[in-house]
Amino acid sequence: MRTPEMLFPFITLVAALLAATTISAQEFPIAKAGCQDRCGNVTIPYPFGLTDDCYYHVRFLITCNHTFNPPKAFLTTSTINVTEITLEGKLHIEQYIAKDCYNASGPTHSNSLELKLAKFIISDADNIFVSIGCDTVASLRGNLKEADSAENEYEVGCTSFCNSFKYVPNDTCSGIGCCQTSLAKGVDDFYITVSSQTNHSAILDFSPCSYAFIIEEKKFNFSKSHFKDLENVDKLPMVVDWSIGYNSCAEVKKSGMYNACQGNSTCHDPDNGNGYLCRCLDGYRGNPYLPNGCLDVDECKDSNLNECLKNYCHNTIGNYTCPCPKGYHGDGRKDGEGCSADQLLVVKIFVGVGASVIVLVAVSGLLMAGKHPWTNVESNYEETEYLLGKKIDASGHGKSGESSSGYQVIGPVLLPSGGR
């Protein structure tokens, strides 16, 4: 069935971002050695896998159905279509819509919706529960899994009413033709029903159906056109949270149980559900569930990953530095001091020799000399007897713009600390 373009205004942008992410991710290991890492357009990272010995546990099995073009990925052996898997613990899937439709003769279509997940949890952070229609009563019932693995019944409702199409606002889901509400944490299965109070009898011309569904919040933007467009839509996107095992990081560490997190990675607890997730350390990127899966990132190859001024970046294992080149000082950072040429102290000593004056210049421990054709050796030596304080930079140029060309380095000199 077709998907209305206005229902998913960000689909093209999201697809482009996913493609860019996939290209970048290919620089690092994705699946176990010798295992296939794609099904159609979906990248399959370990702990998920397509065949035996390629997944962490049977719950992470992905079945690739090649009867579709391109092939589609499904969770284990179910009909849950997987569209994206992230190593941050997110499983993007497509899920059916509950509908209740009528025409002048009576009901034309009615279905409820049920989803049960053996281990994974419905993401409360990414999804919302929505009902659409001008004569709609929707409810979601299910189990809420607590931290101690006990399950409690969970129920939430959403109703939407209106008696005229002109009262329904676009881009606003606040109860007039559309209702939305958040989900609780820890919901691992649900049952959605939707019904009407008057069989849409007075509003069939613009709202013949009632709809109820869970949908990824950032991919939903209500439009009045949904009243009829959703009749031709079977599934909508939603997000499931996944994790490893049932024990927290602290419990795994305390008991000495096997930790799926590999080198250069760390264990952290998920925001929703139990178990744990693995994450590459700062300065590393890749798959933390694979041996040698977290590799050092060369921040110097991407200006977005470092704060160094151009050409001042030096990559290190797990990090980087911004050293200034020889002859310069500072921190080499865009948000810091930058790099400035070293300032060197110049000391001039004028010595009369015959009809000429030898100019000796001591610069940072080196003695330079040049001969000036000053014939009047009887001139005022008070002006040249002691040093003239002056700064030059590392390249040998004075602050006044006076060139040092003509000087020749003749050897080191030890400047006295005081006296004459």
Side-chain angles (χ1 to χ4, degrees), residues 5-170:
E5 292 182 17
M6 61 187 64
L7 184 61
F8 310 119
F10 306 114
I11 288 294
T12 302
L13 175 60
V14 171
L17 292 175
L18 291 178
T21 301
T22 300
I23 292 172
S24 175
Q26 291 304 318
E27 301 173 5
F28 301 91
I30 299 298
K32 289 180 69 174
C35 294
Q36 186 178 347
D37 63 3
R38 294 193 68 82
C39 174
N41 297 324
V42 182
T43 300
I44 313 297
Y46 185 80
F48 293 86
L50 296 168
T51 56
D52 292 344
D53 299 326
C54 288
Y55 48 74
Y56 176 78
H57 186 277
V58 69
R59 289 190 298 266
F60 294 90
L61 168 66
I62 297 295
T63 300
C64 193
N65 191 328
H66 291 271
T67 63
F68 296 93
N69 186 22
K72 287 188 175 183
F74 294 88
L75 183 61
T76 62
T77 57
S78 72
T79 58
I80 300 174
N81 182 204
V82 176
T83 58
E84 183 190 0
I85 304 171
T86 76
L87 291 171
E88 288 71 38
K90 301 295 181 180
L91 191 71
H92 295 251
I93 66 174
E94 290 184 340
Q95 191 50 236
Y96 289 99
I97 307 172
K99 300 180 182 181
D100 186 38
C101 298
Y102 298 83
N103 61 21
S105 301
T108 61
H109 177 84
S110 182
N111 73 285
S112 57
L113 172 61
E114 184 175 20
L115 176 65
K116 290 186 176 182
L117 297 167
K119 170 65 175 67
F120 305 141
I121 305 294
I122 310 301
S123 175
D124 64 298
D126 298 292
N127 302 307
I128 52 175
F129 178 50
V130 177
S131 69
I132 291 178
C134 278
D135 179 17
T136 302
V137 179
S139 68
L140 182 153
R141 297 189 303 274
N143 290 314
L144 194 154
K145 185 170 293 185
E146 303 291 352
D148 60 1
S149 295
E151 289 192 337
N152 298 310
E153 290 187 359
Y154 167 73
E155 185 171 4
V156 64
C158 217
T159 60
S160 54
F161 296 101
C162 46
N163 59 8
S164 174
F165 194 60
K166 68 180 181 180
Y167 298 136
V168 180
N170 262 323

Side-chain angles (χ1 to χ4, degrees), residues 210-228:
S210 294
Y211 311 98
F213 47 86
I214 293 177
I215 187 171
E216 185 176 357
E217 184 175 14
K218 69 179 182 180
K219 292 185 178 179
F220 176 69
N221 184 32
F222 174 67
S223 169
K224 296 165 68 170
S225 65
H226 292 165
F227 282 3
K228 291 187 177 181

Side-chain angles (χ1 to χ4, degrees), residues 281-301:
L281 296 173
D282 291 342
Y284 293 84
R285 186 187 303 167
N287 190 332
Y289 302 95
L290 291 175
N292 302 315
C294 291
L295 303 180
D296 173 61
V297 176
D298 188 346
E299 293 88 353
C300 298
K301 290 184 177 180

Side-chain angles (χ1 to χ4, degrees), residues 116-398:
K116 290 186 176 182
L117 297 167
K119 170 65 175 67
F120 305 141
I121 305 294
I122 310 301
S123 175
D124 64 298
D126 298 292
N127 302 307
I128 52 175
F129 178 50
V130 177
S131 69
I132 291 178
C134 278
D135 179 17
T136 302
V137 179
S139 68
L140 182 153
R141 297 189 303 274
N143 290 314
L144 194 154
K145 185 170 293 185
E146 303 291 352
D148 60 1
S149 295
E151 289 192 337
N152 298 310
E153 290 187 359
Y154 167 73
E155 185 171 4
V156 64
C158 217
T159 60
S160 54
F161 296 101
C162 46
N163 59 8
S164 174
F165 194 60
K166 68 180 181 180
Y167 298 136
V168 180
N170 262 323
D171 304 321
T172 301
C173 189
S174 58
I176 305 176
C178 179
C179 169
Q180 70 179 56
T181 186
S182 58
L183 299 174
K185 287 183 178 295
V187 178
D188 60 352
D189 64 74
F190 62 79
Y191 180 70
I192 294 176
T193 59
V194 61
S195 60
S196 67
Q197 292 185 333
T198 62
N199 296 342
H200 294 247
S201 57
I203 54 175
L204 286 173
D205 58 330
F206 67 90
S207 179
C209 294
S210 294
Y211 311 98
F213 47 86
I214 293 177
I215 187 171
E216 185 176 357
E217 184 175 14
K218 69 179 182 180
K219 292 185 178 179
F220 176 69
N221 184 32
F222 174 67
S223 169
K224 296 165 68 170
S225 65
H226 292 165
F227 282 3
K228 291 187 177 181
D229 287 343
L230 284 175
E231 287 187 65
N232 300 314
V233 176
D234 285 335
K235 295 181 178 182
L236 293 174
M238 64 177 289
V239 182
V240 172
D241 291 329
W242 64 267
S243 59
I244 300 291
Y246 296 94
N247 300 96
S248 67
C249 292
E251 291 169 339
V252 169
K253 183 177 181 179
K254 181 178 180 180
S255 64
M257 291 187 294
Y258 172 73
N259 188 342
C261 302
Q262 301 296 311
N264 298 322
S265 72
T266 185
C267 178
H268 71 100
D269 297 325
D271 295 327
N272 190 24
N274 45 31
Y276 65 90
L277 293 167
C278 303
R279 179 186 297 153
C280 289
L281 296 173
D282 291 342
Y284 293 84
R285 186 187 303 167
N287 190 332
Y289 302 95
L290 291 175
N292 302 315
C294 291
L295 303 180
D296 173 61
V297 176
D298 188 346
E299 293 88 353
C300 298
K301 290 184 177 180
D302 186 345
S303 60
N304 295 317
L305 298 179
N306 69 77
E307 293 298 325
C308 299
L309 293 169
K310 187 176 180 182
N311 299 326
Y312 290 172
C313 186
H314 174 68
N315 185 60
T316 61
I317 299 300
N319 209 334
Y320 68 94
T321 59
C322 306
C324 292
K326 187 176 181 180
Y328 289 78
H329 65 278
D331 56 22
R333 298 178 63 87
K334 301 173 186 175
D335 56 352
E337 300 176 7
C339 290
S340 302
D342 291 340
Q343 299 294 315
L344 305 179
L345 179 64
V346 175
V347 179
K348 289 185 178 180
I349 304 173
F350 297 88
V351 182
V353 179
S356 299
V357 175
I358 301 297
V359 182
L360 303 179
V361 183
V363 181
S364 187
L366 293 179
L367 185 64
M368 297 185 293
K371 186 174 182 180
H372 288 251
W374 296 346
T375 57
N376 184 11
V377 296
E378 301 298 330
S379 61
N380 187 3
Y381 280 98
E382 292 181 357
E383 297 180 1
T384 60
E385 185 178 6
Y386 297 107
L387 48 97
L388 302 175
K390 185 178 182 183
K391 299 279 188 175
I392 66 172
D393 62 26
S395 61
H397 295 285

